[in-house]
Amino acid sequence: ENPVFVAMWFGEKEEKSKMDEAFQQAIQPAIEDAGYRATRVDLTEHNDWIMDKVLGDIRLAPFVVADFTGNRNGVYLEAGFARGLGIPVIHTCREDHFEQAHFDTKQLNHVLWKTAEELQTKLYHRIVGTIGPGPHLPNKKKRT
């Protein structure tokens, strides 16, 4: 199974470490605990034009996690592209950034979070509750 595509702001200066923490300690573990693999385009070696890589990865993904923290246009584009293809999108946003979210997406059910730990727990439950467990469940999580 192809990896879940994660669309998110990578952060700038003081925010970069917070966004790296959100991915490494929350988003990626939640996806993996639910039985899927995760990818973020900036962490993958490739020789493609970046948008060819992004759109190709989205086309292959079982679902997309789109974090709207930072209110970045690229996240809106990637989430909208996935939705247009009928690929499920799970929307997340750090609570202190949700007020700036665009009206068109603000009405969608977002996983709102304050800490990486909270995001990991909420995102895991949203994945399992809406998408279902994936093909790569860790042994400790396998159902009998």
Side-chain angles (χ1 to χ4, degrees):
E1 171 122 354
N2 292 307
V4 172
F5 186 86
V6 178
M8 66 182 295
W9 174 42
F10 305 138
E12 296 164 359
K13 295 180 184 169
E14 67 277 350
E15 288 285 335
K16 181 161 181 26
S17 64
K18 291 179 186 176
M19 295 312 295
D20 284 343
E21 177 183 323
F23 178 76
Q24 294 165 357
Q25 296 181 18
I27 297 171
Q28 186 174 23
I31 291 168
E32 291 175 355
D33 286 350
Y36 298 91
R37 295 195 172 118
T39 188
R40 204 172 79 178
V41 74
D42 67 315
L43 302 176
T44 305
E45 295 297 331
H46 61 87
N47 290 321
D48 301 322
W49 180 58
I50 190 69
M51 285 312 297
D52 283 347
K53 179 70 174 149
V54 166
L55 299 178
D57 285 355
I58 291 170
R59 285 181 189 277
L60 297 173
F63 64 94
V64 169
V65 172
D67 186 83
F68 290 89
T69 303
N71 200 32
R72 293 301 194 253
N73 291 336
V75 176
Y76 287 95
L77 174 98
E78 293 158 13
F81 182 74
R83 289 177 70 87
L85 293 173
I87 297 168
V89 178
I90 296 175
H91 300 79
T92 67
C93 189
R94 200 170 72 203
E95 281 187 15
D96 62 330
H97 285 242
F98 190 63
E99 188 60 38
Q100 292 112 17
H102 193 276
F103 170 80
D104 292 342
T105 58
K106 198 182 242 184
Q107 61 186 316
L108 299 168
N109 190 10
H110 285 66
V111 173
L112 298 179
W113 57 277
K114 291 180 186 169
T115 66
E117 181 180 17
E118 181 181 27
L119 174 58
Q120 194 278 334
T121 300
K122 287 181 170 183
L123 181 57
Y124 168 80
H125 289 292
R126 179 67 58 90
I127 293 167
V128 173
T130 62
I131 308 294
H136 305 288
L137 278 177
N139 287 333
K140 65 181 177 169
K141 303 266 184 191
K142 287 200 185 219
R143 296 181 178 178
T144 54

